[in-house]
Amino acid sequence: EKDNDCKLIGITQPRRVAAVSTAKRVCYEMGKGDGQTIQAEKKKQGNTVAYHTRYESAGLGNRTRIKFMTDGILLQEIRTDLLLRKYNVIVLDEAHERNLNTDILLGLIGASIQLRKQASQEANSNLGPLKLVVMSATLKVEDFTNNERLFPNSPPEIVRVPGRMYPVTIHHSRVTELDDYENVALQKVTKIHRKLPPGGILVFLTGK
């Protein structure tokens, strides 16, 4: 395999929980894991799908091709390697949840794209151009497409994936439980399941 063909697809998430859970799901969908953990396919060689956060990592190795990580991890890597030589594609997911790390990354990646383009045109270079994908469900697209520093030559292609809308009704509890809210949520779900027509129930809980 050529060196350029063995580089990573790096996917960033703003939160650790999202990076870990998404990596496990993708690993499962690709038939490389059980959906609960990510194990190395062979000792020290890693898994096709891996993740790396501040406090933990799993599946990283020579076989890794898709790497999920938090914004902060990529920011650490780009500080020591502005060309991001390990990557062919960078995907910034949940871009609408912009924070300081996201904004700094966008600026640095804009410089990386131009430097990689120049490097790829040099003789005997094994570096290809760096591709950037920005993903979001609620992003104001113009904030990115009109950024001439990030896309100096022409606006990027925009891919729109239509979502499905379902009717939603809101009901409030008479009392807000601040401590044992998990048990209260369980009781509420059980009550909904017992009394209302069949359907899915989605419960959002804090990640901490």
Side-chain angles (χ1 to χ4, degrees), residues 87-140:
Y87 301 94
N88 266 342
V89 181
I90 295 293
V91 180
L92 297 181
D93 197 7
E94 304 290 356
H96 60 276
E97 297 190 19
R98 294 175 62 180
N99 52 40
L100 183 60
N101 282 347
T102 307
D103 287 345
I104 294 175
L105 267 178
L106 282 169
L108 292 174
I109 290 176
S112 300
I113 291 173
Q114 298 306 313
L115 291 173
R116 280 282 292 269
K117 183 178 181 180
Q118 295 173 11
S120 67
Q121 296 171 348
E122 294 178 358
N124 301 322
S125 174
N126 61 357
L127 277 176
L130 179 66
K131 300 181 179 72
L132 173 64
V133 179
V134 180
M135 297 198 309
S136 171
T138 59
L139 182 69
K140 186 179 178 183

Side-chain angles (χ1 to χ4, degrees), residues 31-98:
K32 302 294 184 179
D34 58 7
Q36 302 300 318
T37 59
I38 294 181
Q39 304 290 339
E41 296 176 15
K42 291 186 178 180
K43 190 176 181 180
K44 296 184 179 180
Q45 293 191 6
N47 196 305
T48 304
V49 183
Y51 68 82
H52 186 189
T53 68
R54 182 178 179 182
Y55 299 108
E56 62 177 321
S57 63
L60 289 174
N62 295 333
R63 290 178 176 267
T64 302
R65 294 296 176 265
I66 303 174
K67 177 181 174 182
F68 288 83
M69 62 195 133
T70 53
D71 294 341
I73 295 299
L74 184 59
L75 191 57
Q76 290 178 5
E77 293 187 16
I78 203 172
R79 287 173 60 187
T80 57
D81 180 18
L82 186 58
L83 289 177
L84 291 173
R85 293 175 176 87
K86 293 193 300 185
Y87 301 94
N88 266 342
V89 181
I90 295 293
V91 180
L92 297 181
D93 197 7
E94 304 290 356
H96 60 276
E97 297 190 19
R98 294 175 62 180

